[in-house]
Amino acid sequence: MKKLINTPDSVLSDALRGLAAAHPELRVDADARVVFRAAPKRAGRVALISGGGSGHEPLHAGFVGPGMLDAAACGEIFTSPTPDQVQAAIAGADTGAGVVQIVKNYTGDVMNFEMGAELAELESGTAVETVLVADDVAVEDSTHTAGRRGVGTTLFVEKIAGAAAEEGQDLASVADLARRVAAAGRSMGVALTSSTVPAAGKPTFDLPEGEIEVGIGIHGEPGRRREPLEPASAIAKLLVEPVLADLDFTGAPTIALLGGMGATPLIELYVMYGEVAALLEAAGVRVARRLVGNYVTSLDMAGCSLTLLRADDEMLRLWDAPVATPGLRWGE
Amino acid sequence: MKKLINTPDSVLSDALRGLAAAHPELRVDADARVVFRAAPKRAGRVALISGGGSGHEPLHAGFVGPGMLDAAACGEIFTSPTPDQVQAAIAGADTGAGVVQIVKNYTGDVMNFEMGAELAELESGTAVETVLVADDVAVEDSTHTAGRRGVGTTLFVEKIAGAAAEEGQDLASVADLARRVAAAGRSMGVALTSSTVPAAGKPTFDLPEGEIEVGIGIHGEPGRRREPLEPASAIAKLLVEPVLADLDFTGAPTIALLGGMGATPLIELYVMYGEVAALLEAAGVRVARRLVGNYVTSLDMAGCSLTLLRADDEMLRLWDAPVATPGLRWGE
């Protein structure tokens, strides 16, 4: 294992220290392991929190800032944050208008965010709405999941619901919008290599030279099948076809995210996006907005994923609204 | 070799197709392999171009846009663009006020940008100023270089001179500023793994488990020495000390770039930045602005580099000016 770390045990705390040093516009609670905005949003606006296991950066801490999240609870690598962390995120983010928490559908996350919300409701009476993201079309159940896994659509939910909260929509409206976005996203990923969790010290799975894992999860959970490594044009089909088979993306503006898994260079992501864009056009999907880069990653895994959102005009307007976070920034 | 590509020969053209599909705000001349802004800057403003071998994305094509470059000439992977490409970039970018070309100090780049500038001057009388970046403190001469290599400071030059051009400074002023920025930057990098050039099909060099290459170049040129892999805190010293030994960074606002080489996940870069920031503070260096992420990369190399700019108030003001490119965006 070759990593730029001090010790496997200190990766998260060391990274949070670096995040704080790199981003004075964030406030890092090193004890609670929760990342907040340094300048909280205006009182009376709905707050948005998320979180999960670390190792998927910039998700979630890198999406804290105006126009997106108010706080992110950072679990150990690939490990759910504790209910206490979630409660701390809720308590620190709430401005009195209630909190929407965005949770990727993994069993530990679902349980701990629910418990965190209950603690917050009991102790401070905070109204909390939970929105689950379960967009991965690869498999129905998985190692850490009952039902579909939550992946790239999380970014869409955080951005669009974040914009709605920023402009003053109330708790029910923001939660409803977030659920509609979550329901309108689909994702599929492929791995060329396994990631290596520092505490494990070796790759999560073996993937021989010349093979890829189709339908990979962001913690290295098994996908649908192994296949020989093929040209980008063929791999693009392995991503596009199951996504389009699962939801009709025609007749609506679509937002596309072609995301790297962490160790794939940008030039390869652009190669992949060229192939994906051609397939989407041939299928009659109108891509209105697109992102190419590392957004929802899996440590040092090589590979990529495609996430599509069947948007509407309101979602598109909120997508275009200003955002200023370390990981996503435009229109300030 | 496991890569998301079609064929080794088509990587650049396929990536440019994807770049065009992903960024309607860019205009990609697929024949000349030059990337322009779709909406050219106002006539009478100085234009900025750069370019070089591909494989360092987002540098340079990802830095084309308002507040930064007007055009980037994209050579094959790790291969200088031809004089014809440079000429096409100059001709397409010039608005009548002359062109500053920013060139990383590699023998092929220096020669071909000079020839491209001569062609442009001869054929259309365009005034071209060339600014060399040679900021890598690791080695004095190298595989592809007489004198120091040009690396991370290139981003600082493109951003700061780009802002000056955008606000209407004339050719001599923009070129002078660019040269002052180039002279005020220092960089040092470390590799954990080699990158693999698609056409070669295998890693450029062997780096055994447990060893790192200190002072690596962005094409895999040898650095200063091999060392055992150490904790991030020790690796940070290997980067900070030679940079500070080469230029006094005290008594001025410093801009810091902790950049990934392409395959290193963001969480490790934050670990490294935490260590680097602590060392800089202990050394009395006042970091006024900072970037952590993948900006000047080397395909799928794992590792990172530190680049520091000894800025002044004018450079800092221009650094903060709005920029809207795929790779760098703020303050619009």
Side-chain angles (χ1 to χ4, degrees), chain B residues 168-298:
Chain B
Q169 294 191 26
D170 67 16
L171 183 62
S173 301
V174 176
D176 176 66
L177 173 69
R179 289 188 185 109
R180 284 189 289 119
V181 175
R186 295 292 187 278
S187 192
M188 178 81 177
V190 61
L192 274 60
T193 67
S194 170
S195 55
T196 296
V197 177
K202 60 183 180 55
T204 307
F205 57 90
D206 290 317
L207 195 51
E209 184 69 25
E211 284 186 27
I212 60 176
E213 177 86 24
V214 181
I216 192 75
I218 56 172
H219 313 97
E221 310 95 319
R224 289 185 172 186
R225 61 185 184 276
R226 295 274 166 99
E227 289 213 358
L229 175 63
E230 292 184 281
S233 57
I235 295 175
K237 279 186 198 171
L238 298 177
L239 300 180
V240 169
E241 286 176 356
V243 166
L244 297 190
D246 205 79
L247 185 70
D248 179 9
F249 283 89
T250 59
T254 293
I255 308 180
L257 163 61
L258 195 288
M261 302 302 279
T264 290
L266 196 48
I267 194 167
E268 294 181 36
L269 299 181
Y270 279 123
V271 169
M272 282 299 301
Y273 188 71
E275 300 298 337
V276 163
L279 292 172
L280 292 176
E281 188 176 354
V285 177
R286 181 169 70 81
V287 178
R289 304 288 185 275
R290 64 293 285 168
L291 280 182
V292 177
N294 287 304
Y295 295 99
V296 180
T297 63
S298 180

Side-chain angles (χ1 to χ4, degrees), chain A residues 279-303:
Chain A
L279 291 171
L280 292 176
E281 188 176 356
V285 176
R286 182 169 69 82
V287 178
R289 303 288 185 276
R290 65 293 285 168
L291 280 181
V292 177
N294 286 305
Y295 296 99
V296 180
T297 62
S298 180
L299 291 172
D300 52 355
M301 180 184 285

Side-chain angles (χ1 to χ4, degrees), chain B residues 41 46-48 67-70 100 102 131 154-169 173-179 181 315 318-319:
Chain B
K41 77 189 343 163
V46 171
L48 236 71
M68 221 161 160
L69 297 178
D70 293 275
V100 173
I102 299 161
V131 176
T154 315
L155 181 152
F156 294 141
V157 176
E158 292 179 1
K159 170 65 185 81
I160 292 170
E166 213 73 48
E167 69 178 28
Q169 294 191 26
S173 301
V174 176
D176 176 66
L177 173 69
R179 289 188 185 109
V181 175
M315 293 177 194
L318 293 165
W319 176 258

Side-chain angles (χ1 to χ4, degrees), chain A residues 42-134:
Chain A
R42 207 185 309 177
R45 301 274 154 122
V46 171
L48 234 73
I49 73 151
S50 190
S54 295
H56 307 300
E57 292 70 26
L59 185 86
H60 296 273
F63 296 146
V64 173
M68 221 161 159
L69 297 178
D70 295 276
C74 304
E76 284 292 339
I77 288 176
F78 293 180
T79 303
S80 302
T82 64
D84 284 356
Q85 287 182 277
V86 174
Q87 183 190 7
I90 292 170
D94 184 33
T95 76
V99 175
V100 174
Q101 58 179 10
I102 298 161
V103 183
K104 300 192 302 301
N105 188 38
Y106 298 96
T107 308
D109 284 13
V110 172
M111 192 170 66
N112 290 2
F113 272 87
E114 276 305 337
M115 289 175 63
E118 283 169 20
L119 289 170
E121 284 164 359
L122 277 170
E123 291 203 5
S124 47
T126 310
V128 180
E129 291 275 354
T130 300
V131 176
L132 280 186
V133 182

Side-chain angles (χ1 to χ4, degrees), chain B:
Chain B
M1 177 178 66
K2 276 184 155 178
K3 288 184 185 289
L4 294 167
I5 61 174
N6 286 310
T7 67
D9 288 346
S10 68
V11 174
L12 176 57
S13 53
D14 290 346
L16 288 175
R17 190 169 69 119
L19 185 80
H23 297 291
E25 73 276 19
L26 299 178
R27 177 173 67 82
V28 176
D29 182 333
D31 294 326
R33 298 180 168 193
V34 178
V35 176
F36 297 97
R37 304 183 191 181
K41 77 189 343 163
R42 206 185 310 175
R45 300 275 152 120
V46 171
L48 236 71
I49 73 151
S50 189
S54 294
H56 308 300
E57 291 69 26
L59 184 88
H60 295 272
F63 296 146
V64 173
M68 221 161 160
L69 297 178
D70 293 275
C74 304
E76 285 292 337
I77 289 175
F78 292 179
T79 303
S80 302
T82 63
D84 284 355
Q85 287 183 278
V86 173
Q87 184 189 6
I90 292 170
D94 184 33
T95 75
V99 175
V100 173
Q101 59 180 11
I102 299 161
V103 183
K104 302 194 298 304
N105 187 38
Y106 299 95
T107 308
D109 284 12
V110 172
M111 191 170 66
N112 290 1
F113 273 88
E114 276 305 336
M115 289 175 62
E118 283 168 20
L119 289 171
E121 284 165 359
L122 278 172
E123 290 203 4
S124 48
T126 310
V128 181
E129 290 276 353
T130 300
V131 176
L132 279 187
V133 182
D135 60 327
D136 188 343
V137 304
V139 291
E140 199 46 50
D141 297 301
S142 179
T143 318
H144 312 292
T145 324
R148 286 179 168 179
R149 303 175 296 219
V151 285
T153 299
T154 315
L155 181 152
F156 294 141
V157 176
E158 292 179 1
K159 170 65 185 81
I160 292 170
E166 213 73 48
E167 69 178 28
Q169 294 191 26
D170 67 16
L171 183 62
S173 301
V174 176
D176 176 66
L177 173 69
R179 289 188 185 109
R180 284 189 289 119
V181 175
R186 295 292 187 278
S187 192
M188 178 81 177
V190 61
L192 274 60
T193 67
S194 170
S195 55
T196 296
V197 177
K202 60 183 180 55
T204 307
F205 57 90
D206 290 317
L207 195 51
E209 184 69 25
E211 284 186 27
I212 60 176
E213 177 86 24
V214 181
I216 192 75
I218 56 172
H219 313 97
E221 310 95 319
R224 289 185 172 186
R225 61 185 184 276
R226 295 274 166 99
E227 289 213 358
L229 175 63
E230 292 184 281
S233 57
I235 295 175
K237 279 186 198 171
L238 298 177
L239 300 180
V240 169
E241 286 176 356
V243 166
L244 297 190
D246 205 79
L247 185 70
D248 179 9
F249 283 89
T250 59
T254 293
I255 308 180
L257 163 61
L258 195 288
M261 302 302 279
T264 290
L266 196 48
I267 194 167
E268 294 181 36
L269 299 181
Y270 279 123
V271 169
M272 282 299 301
Y273 188 71
E275 300 298 337
V276 163
L279 292 172
L280 292 176
E281 188 176 354
V285 177
R286 181 169 70 81
V287 178
R289 304 288 185 275
R290 64 293 285 168
L291 280 182
V292 177
N294 287 304
Y295 295 99
V296 180
T297 63
S298 180
L299 291 171
D300 53 355
M301 180 184 285
C304 70
S305 63
L306 172 68
T307 306
L308 297 185
L309 178 70
R310 184 186 167 90
D312 57 27
D313 290 346
E314 174 73 352
M315 293 177 194
L316 213 55
R317 180 183 71 77
L318 293 165
W319 176 258
D320 289 342
V323 60
T325 72
L328 213 62
R329 192 166 176 175
W330 60 65
E332 295 158 82

Side-chain angles (χ1 to χ4, degrees), chain A:
Chain A
M1 177 179 67
K2 275 184 158 179
K3 287 183 186 289
L4 294 168
I5 62 174
N6 286 310
T7 68
D9 288 346
S10 69
V11 174
L12 176 57
S13 53
D14 291 345
L16 288 175
R17 189 170 69 121
L19 186 79
H23 298 290
E25 72 276 20
L26 300 177
R27 178 173 67 82
V28 176
D29 182 332
D31 295 327
R33 298 181 168 192
V34 178
V35 176
F36 297 97
R37 304 183 192 182
K41 77 192 339 166
R42 207 185 309 177
R45 301 274 154 122
V46 171
L48 234 73
I49 73 151
S50 190
S54 295
H56 307 300
E57 292 70 26
L59 185 86
H60 296 273
F63 296 146
V64 173
M68 221 161 159
L69 297 178
D70 295 276
C74 304
E76 284 292 339
I77 288 176
F78 293 180
T79 303
S80 302
T82 64
D84 284 356
Q85 287 182 277
V86 174
Q87 183 190 7
I90 292 170
D94 184 33
T95 76
V99 175
V100 174
Q101 58 179 10
I102 298 161
V103 183
K104 300 192 302 301
N105 188 38
Y106 298 96
T107 308
D109 284 13
V110 172
M111 192 170 66
N112 290 2
F113 272 87
E114 276 305 337
M115 289 175 63
E118 283 169 20
L119 289 170
E121 284 164 359
L122 277 170
E123 291 203 5
S124 47
T126 310
V128 180
E129 291 275 354
T130 300
V131 176
L132 280 186
V133 182
D135 60 328
D136 188 343
V137 304
V139 291
E140 199 46 50
D141 297 302
S142 179
T143 319
H144 312 291
T145 325
R148 286 179 168 179
R149 303 176 294 219
V151 284
T153 298
T154 315
L155 181 152
F156 295 141
V157 176
E158 292 178 2
K159 170 65 185 82
I160 292 170
E166 214 73 48
E167 70 177 29
Q169 295 191 23
D170 68 14
L171 183 61
S173 301
V174 175
D176 175 66
L177 172 69
R179 290 189 184 105
R180 284 189 288 118
V181 174
R186 295 293 186 278
S187 192
M188 179 80 176
V190 62
L192 273 60
T193 68
S194 170
S195 54
T196 296
V197 177
K202 60 183 180 54
T204 306
F205 56 90
D206 290 316
L207 196 49
E209 184 67 27
E211 284 187 26
I212 60 176
E213 177 85 25
V214 181
I216 192 74
I218 55 171
H219 313 97
E221 309 95 319
R224 289 184 173 187
R225 62 185 183 278
R226 295 274 167 99
E227 290 214 357
L229 175 62
E230 293 184 280
S233 58
I235 294 176
K237 278 187 196 167
L238 297 176
L239 301 180
V240 169
E241 285 175 357
V243 166
L244 297 190
D246 205 79
L247 186 69
D248 179 9
F249 283 88
T250 59
T254 293
I255 307 180
L257 164 60
L258 194 289
M261 303 301 278
T264 289
L266 196 48
I267 195 167
E268 294 181 37
L269 299 181
Y270 278 122
V271 169
M272 282 299 301
Y273 188 70
E275 300 298 337
V276 164
L279 291 171
L280 292 176
E281 188 176 356
V285 176
R286 182 169 69 82
V287 178
R289 303 288 185 276
R290 65 293 285 168
L291 280 181
V292 177
N294 286 305
Y295 296 99
V296 180
T297 62
S298 180
L299 291 172
D300 52 355
M301 180 184 285
C304 70
S305 64
L306 173 69
T307 307
L308 296 184
L309 179 70
R310 184 187 167 90
D312 56 28
D313 290 345
E314 175 72 349
M315 293 178 194
L316 213 54
R317 181 182 71 77
L318 294 164
W319 177 257
D320 289 340
V323 60
T325 71
L328 214 61
R329 192 166 177 175
W330 60 66
E332 295 157 80

